[in-house]
Amino acid sequence: MEVQETWQDLKNPFLSKGYFNPPKKSGLMWSIYSLVKKVIGCGILLPLRVVLFFILSLLAFLLSKIGTIGLPKRIPPDYVYSFWRRLLLYPIRYCARGLVFCLGFWWIKTTGKPANARRAPIIIANHISLIDAVFMCSVYQPCAVAKSDVGNMPVVGVMARAIQTIFVDRLDHNSRKVSYYALPTY
């Protein structure tokens, strides 16, 4: 005989004493050390990191905009940047590292030794946020594959064109094939 539980029989994990532990009502007792940490962290470092974030974003955008002047909106896959464009776009890597730092990722531990570009020319990474893409740009400065909507974004689209992103239209099956054949040229 099977026992069926109803929703009234199930214990609510948010109300049971095993899962919920409210703070004591004795008041907030902050030590001098915790107050100093909060003042320095929120009062000094947070505004400094926000200002630095916007300065680095603006610098990366301006370098991307200047580096892509005169190029078509969709760069052909076999197009190779000239020396001055590559030289101008190289600092974007350091701007990306600074952005990751400003977002609070001071050090990201990587395991293993990365292979050189001849042995492993493609890096496949599943990302869950845009921070992952910025981190990959700061470490490897890759040519990315992105959906075509990214190229139409005002600021991000310029930066994506600067790193020679291959844009894929998800609704067009021919676009996938063109992107597949464009990968070995980078």
Side-chain angles (χ1 to χ4, degrees):
M1 184 170 144
E2 227 176 276
V3 177
Q4 291 184 340
E5 292 181 339
T6 62
W7 66 272
Q8 290 94 356
D9 297 336
L10 297 175
K11 208 173 196 184
N12 188 345
F14 299 106
L15 296 179
S16 88
K17 289 184 180 180
Y19 295 99
F20 183 67
N21 187 11
K24 296 179 181 176
K25 295 186 179 185
S26 63
L28 294 174
M29 296 301 295
W30 289 351
S31 66
I32 300 295
Y33 175 69
S34 66
L35 282 174
V36 169
K37 278 189 347 184
K38 285 174 183 33
V39 167
I40 291 175
C42 295
I44 298 171
L45 294 180
L46 181 65
L48 184 66
R49 284 169 52 180
V50 169
V51 168
L52 187 61
F53 179 84
F54 283 113
I55 289 172
L56 289 172
S57 299
L58 181 65
L59 180 63
F61 173 72
L62 290 175
L63 289 172
S64 300
K65 191 69 172 172
I66 294 169
T68 57
I69 287 177
L71 294 177
K73 189 168 183 173
R74 300 287 182 209
I75 300 169
D78 57 347
Y79 184 79
V80 178
Y81 281 167
S82 61
F83 177 73
W84 74 268
R85 286 188 198 272
R86 284 183 281 148
L87 190 65
L88 187 65
L89 295 174
Y90 190 75
I92 292 175
R93 180 179 194 165
Y94 298 106
C95 290
R97 180 61 186 118
L99 291 174
V100 172
F101 179 78
C102 289
L103 291 172
F105 299 97
W106 297 342
W107 184 259
I108 298 174
K109 182 181 177 187
T110 55
T111 58
K113 183 179 177 186
N116 60 9
R118 289 186 184 260
R119 185 167 183 175
I122 297 175
I123 300 169
I124 299 173
N126 184 18
H127 63 88
I128 56 174
S129 69
L130 285 177
I131 297 171
D132 299 339
V134 174
F135 172 72
M136 293 297 281
C137 185
S138 72
V139 174
Y140 300 107
Q141 200 169 8
C143 163
V145 177
K147 62 182 180 178
S148 60
D149 296 338
V150 172
N152 298 328
M153 292 180 181
V155 175
V156 178
V158 173
M159 291 188 215
R161 280 194 305 277
I163 63 168
Q164 292 183 308
T165 299
I166 300 170
F167 296 107
V168 180
D169 186 6
R170 292 182 178 179
L171 301 176
D172 184 16
H173 295 291
N174 190 30
S175 175
R176 294 177 188 175
K177 188 179 287 187
V178 169
S179 302
Y180 173 76
Y181 288 116
L183 281 174
T185 61
Y186 285 107

